[in-house]
Amino acid sequence: MNNNKAAPALSASGIWSVKRNLSALTEDSSGTFYLINGLRFFGMIWILIAHTVFVYSLYNGKEIFFQSLESAPFYLWWIWNADKAVDLFFVVSGFLISIMLLKEQNKTGAIQLKRFYFRRYLRLTPLYAVIAIIFWASGARNHEWIWANLLYVNNFLHPDNMALQWTWTLAVEEQFYLLLPLILIFIAKSPQRSFMQTMLGLLVLSLLIRFGVLYYYDELWNSNYRDMLSDKVISMTFYGKLYDNLATRFGPLIVGVIAGYGYCFHQHAIQNWARATTYRPLALNILSMAVIVFFMYFPIMDTRYSESSNGLRLYIVFHRTIFSIAFAWFMMSVFLQLSHVRFFSWFYSLKIWNPLGQLTYSIYLIHLMVILVVVHPLNKYIQTLDLHPAQAMLSTVGLGAILSLILSIIIGILCWLLIEKPFLNMRELFEVNRGAPKPVPMESKG
């Protein structure tokens, strides 16, 4: 249970209170879901390290990105699979947003669409808009397309035209938030339509769409994975058609929604099913952790596995969904006290991650710009030291990632105090619900 004392009622004058906003960083932002803040923060670190390697390769040649993979020891292969961290965030987003909507729908029989859309836009846009304005004023590459970011349609642009290219994930999430309430309302108004049947149908559809896109574009179907990521022509098709749009990435979000539905309405049924035999919870937890570790460490970019083949095609179609299902079960096993991976659930649930978890949105928005600024002079300096190429890369990436993380956290705190939290306070002042519900099962629906 969350034992934090209730904060005093918020007044208009308190919206911009630095003291109040700083103290709010230590509050539990996800209700009783302590695990989520830890997962968010370390997912962000995963992305930041991978982007540091990417920026290093920009400054030293793209072949460095793949050469470093081939020379890296096994225990570092997770760095090159950081795209799974995005799927992790999608599962968490689907889980939390579905609980919010299902709770409202179960309690009132309806979803207030205007309030929901306003709440989501107010949550994401203020800080995003400030960064977008600064980016536009700087005259940086593609600054003329920044309007698409504020409308959350930047992932519809050609990848080479996108401003703040890493923010395609925000567009995908916002587009999903636009559609999910409508889907839930549609299900509620059609009693003959089962929630699970609809969601499982959408999950299957997501796989069919991924296969269809892969099959339709010959340059993807016949390409190796390295060219999909780095070839000047093929990569534009890969990123624009398969990587950064809602149609091919909504699978993990649906997995999160299914998990949220199970948590809301079928906690006891899931617990009873999992405990039907003595070893079932242990077997399920071992299986989920094995799948997570496999996809974290599988060297798909290695020349042995990246060549065009049916195995690669199957991997591209299924890997995100399988990883997401395993990760969702890991979350649910912790929330429903079925977990046998006690160390991981304890570690990620430490309250020290609460403030850092709340800063992940700010950190995500600014981290790549920070990395670009930090790594450039660091790379130049280390090149003067006449180190072995592998040692030079390790030094640059290691120090660059650490310095970028520290600087991103500092800037993130300032963004939280001066922009992000004040607008969240406005939501509170407008009596908009915040956070996740308490972990009390809702009435079971048949």
Side-chain angles (χ1 to χ4, degrees):
M1 296 290 291
N2 183 11
N3 296 321
N4 289 342
K5 294 182 180 179
L10 179 67
S11 63
S13 61
I15 288 175
W16 304 95
S17 170
V18 172
K19 180 179 179 181
R20 181 189 179 99
N21 294 343
L22 185 61
S23 67
L25 264 182
T26 61
E27 294 176 0
D28 182 10
S29 65
S30 54
T32 55
F33 301 136
Y34 299 116
L35 177 83
I36 284 178
N37 278 324
L39 292 171
R40 280 172 169 163
F41 179 62
F42 283 95
M44 185 63 246
I45 291 179
W46 193 2
I47 291 171
L48 185 143
I49 292 173
H51 280 167
T52 305
V53 175
F54 171 73
V55 169
Y56 181 83
S57 69
L58 287 180
Y59 291 140
N60 296 277
K62 67 179 183 180
E63 65 278 359
I64 293 291
F65 186 82
F66 298 114
Q67 290 174 4
S68 60
L69 167 69
E70 293 181 349
S71 62
F74 165 78
Y75 55 83
L76 291 180
W77 285 352
W78 56 270
I79 294 174
W80 287 266
N81 285 314
D83 59 318
K84 301 300 184 300
V86 175
D87 297 315
L88 179 156
F89 277 107
F90 283 167
V91 173
V92 169
S93 294
F95 179 78
L96 292 177
I97 209 70
S98 65
I99 288 180
M100 180 188 298
L101 290 169
L102 290 168
K103 178 187 178 185
E104 179 182 357
Q105 194 175 44
N106 185 72
K107 183 178 180 180
T108 67
I111 296 174
Q112 296 184 37
L113 291 175
K114 289 182 180 180
R115 190 180 74 167
F116 173 76
Y117 292 145
F118 174 74
R119 176 173 60 213
R120 298 320 305 164
Y121 195 81
L122 195 63
R123 170 67 185 95
L124 296 179
T125 305
L127 177 59
Y128 195 14
V130 171
I131 292 174
I133 291 170
I134 295 173
F135 180 84
W136 174 79
S138 72
R141 182 174 177 267
N142 294 334
H143 70 281
E144 68 274 17
W145 293 100
I146 196 66
W147 59 268
N149 295 63
L150 297 181
L151 295 178
Y152 297 96
V153 295
N154 49 309
N155 61 331
F156 292 151
L157 300 176
H158 187 280
D160 211 33
N161 292 335
M162 288 173 60
L164 303 173
Q165 291 180 324
W166 64 98
T167 60
W168 66 267
T169 59
L170 304 182
V172 167
E173 287 197 359
E174 195 73 356
Q175 290 157 19
F176 184 75
Y177 296 156
L178 182 68
L179 295 175
L180 181 61
L182 302 177
I183 295 172
L184 296 181
I185 292 172
F186 173 73
I187 294 172
K189 289 185 176 181
S190 307
Q192 73 277 14
R193 298 185 184 276
S194 160
F195 179 94
M196 283 303 298
Q197 287 178 350
T198 303
M199 290 300 157
L200 290 175
L202 288 172
L203 194 59
V204 172
L205 178 62
S206 72
L207 296 173
L208 293 175
I209 291 173
R210 288 185 65 82
F211 175 80
V213 170
L214 187 64
Y215 181 78
Y216 180 80
Y217 293 96
D218 289 338
E219 61 268 42
L220 298 182
W221 185 261
N222 297 312
S223 174
N224 66 66
Y225 198 61
R226 289 190 173 194
D227 285 344
M228 291 185 197
L229 297 176
S230 62
D231 181 85
K232 185 172 291 187
V233 176
I234 297 173
S235 66
M236 292 297 100
T237 304
F238 174 76
Y239 288 112
K241 306 301 181 182
L242 191 62
Y243 191 82
D244 61 9
N245 66 80
L246 178 64
T248 55
R249 295 301 292 265
F250 71 87
L253 288 155
I254 292 294
V255 171
V257 171
I258 293 173
Y261 176 77
Y263 183 87
C264 283
F265 300 118
H266 299 291
Q267 287 190 28
H268 295 309
I270 295 171
Q271 289 170 328
N272 292 337
W273 174 81
R275 292 171 176 156
T277 63
T278 304
Y279 298 106
R280 184 178 289 178
L282 178 61
L284 289 170
N285 291 330
I286 290 175
L287 178 61
S288 67
M289 289 301 296
V291 170
I292 291 170
V293 171
F294 173 80
F295 283 111
M296 284 179 63
Y297 284 90
F298 184 68
I300 187 61
M301 297 182 202
D302 191 283
T303 52
R304 293 171 294 173
Y305 306 107
S306 67
E307 291 303 314
S308 178
S309 66
N310 288 332
L312 176 65
R313 294 168 191 134
L314 287 173
Y315 177 91
I316 291 173
V317 171
F318 288 100
H319 71 121
R320 301 196 184 285
T321 300
I322 296 174
F323 174 83
S324 299
I325 292 171
F327 174 71
W329 175 257
F330 168 71
M331 281 200 318
M332 291 291 285
S333 69
V334 173
F335 298 150
L336 301 183
Q337 299 180 337
L338 300 169
S339 177
H340 287 79
V341 283
R342 300 269 171 89
F343 171 77
F344 292 105
S345 58
W346 166 81
F347 178 76
Y348 288 117
S349 300
L350 290 173
K351 290 192 175 183
I352 190 175
W353 309 130
N354 288 348
L356 295 170
Q358 293 192 73
L359 292 174
T360 52
Y361 179 60
S362 299
I363 293 173
Y364 182 75
L365 282 177
I366 63 173
H367 80 282
L368 196 52
M369 293 180 285
V370 172
I371 293 171
L372 287 165
V373 171
V374 168
V375 171
H376 184 261
L378 187 61
N379 180 57
K380 281 193 168 184
Y381 170 72
I382 289 179
Q383 284 182 342
T384 66
L385 300 181
D386 196 27
L387 299 175
H388 185 275
Q391 189 177 3
M393 178 182 176
L394 183 62
S395 301
T396 306
V397 171
L399 286 174
I402 292 171
L403 292 173
S404 297
L405 177 62
I406 293 171
L407 188 55
S408 294
I409 290 174
I410 293 172
I411 298 174
I413 292 173
L414 294 175
C415 291
W416 167 269
L417 293 177
L418 302 177
I419 304 170
E420 191 175 356
K421 183 56 179 171
F423 279 91
L424 292 177
N425 289 339
M426 291 182 190
R427 281 199 330 181
E428 182 181 341
L429 199 62
F430 296 151
E431 298 182 345
V432 176
N433 290 333
R434 297 183 302 164
K438 302 219 180 262
V440 178
M442 299 181 189
E443 295 179 7
S444 178
K445 291 185 176 181

